[in-house]
Amino acid sequence: MEVLPVYTYDHPILRKKLRPVEEITEEVIELALAMHRTMKNADGIGLAANQVGRDMQMLVIDLSHTEGNEDVKPLTVINPAIKAYSEEEVPFEEGCLSLPNLRADVIRPEAIQVKFYDTAMKEHEMEADGLLARVMQHEVNHLHGIYLFDHLSPMRRALLKRKLLGIKRGEVETDYPLWRDEG
Ligand code: ZN
């Protein structure tokens, strides 16, 4: 089962605003499948295309192995747009496969309304709250070149300096493959 290596802090592709998907090709379908495998292998609940080095507005989510979400079907989300946010905001401790072994509290709206396309280019409009709204916002951030690092305060970044440098140098233990610059 082929899994893709995950790009980590601070590869420039994690900073990129990704290109919308214009048509569903075999390449898009295959990437979606590979992203689901990669996410599952890493025990993740969400993954964006630039985290596997691809410039494409696509993300995958799977909450089915988390408590209380066993019935939530895995999602492949293309060209998403968050249309509305709840006024209520809540804190939650997030992780990110691109920042291994690091967690940070992030305050986000509790509920959202999101529009996206699936791999048949069928349009969906969905309301989400709780963990699904949380993951969707985290992954949509990725597609705009924003990720967990940007939610760390300057103080936290300073405290984590050594750890971040370790991640940057690939000196970090993970249960999933990380992308390495061969040069
Ligand atoms: Zn992430």
Side-chain angles (χ1 to χ4, degrees), residues 51 96 138 142:
Q51 292 185 277
C96 180
H138 177 117
H142 271 299

Side-chain angles (χ1 to χ4, degrees), residues 16-41:
K16 203 170 186 310
K17 268 179 164 293
L18 304 183
R19 283 200 291 257
V21 175
E22 280 172 14
E23 65 170 326
I24 303 297
T25 59
E26 208 167 302
E27 188 202 351
V28 174
I29 305 274
E30 272 172 22
L31 178 62
L33 293 173
M35 283 172 64
H36 276 284
R37 284 197 297 267
T38 302
M39 169 174 61
K40 206 180 180 95
N41 178 65

Side-chain angles (χ1 to χ4, degrees), residues 2-97:
E2 188 219 351
V3 301
L4 303 169
V6 174
Y7 286 56
T8 54
Y9 173 82
D10 60 348
H11 194 283
I13 195 144
L14 297 174
R15 288 260 162 253
K16 203 170 186 310
K17 268 179 164 293
L18 304 183
R19 283 200 291 257
V21 175
E22 280 172 14
E23 65 170 326
I24 303 297
T25 59
E26 208 167 302
E27 188 202 351
V28 174
I29 305 274
E30 272 172 22
L31 178 62
L33 293 173
M35 283 172 64
H36 276 284
R37 284 197 297 267
T38 302
M39 169 174 61
K40 206 180 180 95
N41 178 65
D43 253 334
I45 54 177
L47 184 71
N50 48 345
Q51 292 185 277
V52 291
R54 306 295 283 273
D55 182 359
M56 202 184 279
Q57 284 185 21
M58 179 159 72
L59 61 92
V60 294
I61 291 175
D62 186 2
L63 303 183
S64 62
H65 57 289
T66 66
E67 213 186 318
N69 297 301
E70 293 80 1
D71 297 335
V72 181
K73 286 203 186 96
L75 286 172
T76 302
V77 172
I78 292 171
N79 301 346
I82 298 178
K83 296 303 206 185
Y85 296 90
S86 64
E87 260 176 52
E88 193 198 351
E89 296 189 323
V90 286
F92 187 84
E93 196 180 53
E94 297 185 14
C96 180
L97 295 179

